[in-house]
Amino acid sequence: MISISRVTATEIPDIEELVHQYREFYKQPRAENTKQFLTDRIKAEEAIVFVANYVEELNVRAVGFALCYPTYSTVSLSPIWLLNDLFVDARYRGHGIANSLMDRVETAARESGATRVFLRTAEDNVAAQALYEKRGWIQDVTFRRYDLVFPL
């Protein structure tokens, strides 16, 4: 059985390994400050994190997560959410876990008064793109993205 819940700062260790795997998916090295970064975001109420737990008898294992950053839109004069990170452990993919996490994100965003949720994904992440499109998300063709990346 899968259960989805909102992560508190004390539960960060439960998702830390998943975040490492997620960053590795995007070719980033493991970072010692991962736990602190996540803890700081949650304690400051800058991020909302949901975890998908696989529950089997007395064992509970975190198998996926979604991390959102609530923000605002001046154009719509409303709150909006950035679904910044969505990840499911490779061993648990294909069982609807990402879909369940997205259900929870969309519901929480609506309940918070947000008027939309947006995300970005890699051009070659076709599995994720298929999920988003199946759920009715629309690829933005109006706005172009630009980044200015500062060296660490």
Side-chain angles (χ1 to χ4, degrees), residues 23-136:
R23 287 175 37 82
E24 288 168 0
F25 177 83
Y26 281 106
K27 311 291 187 258
Q28 299 300 307
R30 287 186 174 245
E32 290 183 25
N33 66 327
T34 299
K35 181 179 174 184
Q36 190 61 55
F37 176 85
L38 295 168
T39 301
D40 291 348
R41 300 293 72 73
I42 288 176
K43 282 186 174 180
E45 297 183 358
E46 297 169 343
I48 296 170
V49 184
F50 296 103
V51 62
N53 286 307
Y54 180 71
V55 181
E56 184 177 45
E57 295 181 18
L58 298 176
N59 296 323
V60 177
R61 175 185 173 94
V63 297
F65 74 95
L67 189 150
C68 301
Y69 292 107
T71 188
Y72 299 92
S73 167
T74 305
V75 172
S76 65
L77 300 175
S78 65
I80 60 176
W81 281 26
L82 166 60
L83 174 51
N84 201 69
D85 311 302
L86 177 68
F87 181 78
V88 175
D89 183 314
R91 296 169 290 181
Y92 294 88
R93 292 182 188 154
H95 299 285
I97 297 170
N99 202 47
S100 295
L101 283 163
M102 291 191 71
D103 279 343
R104 185 64 185 269
V105 166
E106 292 168 13
T107 299
R110 261 192 220 98
E111 289 174 352
S112 77
T115 58
R116 68 181 161 100
V117 181
F118 68 104
L119 60 80
R120 301 183 305 198
T121 193
E123 287 290 332
D124 63 350
N125 194 351
V126 293
Q129 293 165 24
L131 170 65
Y132 308 143
E133 291 169 12
K134 181 178 176 183
R135 294 184 60 82

Side-chain angles (χ1 to χ4, degrees), residues 135-149:
R135 294 184 60 82
W137 288 55
I138 301 167
Q139 183 179 1
D140 185 349
V141 294
T142 306
F143 294 97
R144 187 173 291 194
R145 173 185 158 177
Y146 292 89
D147 291 330
L148 177 60
V149 179

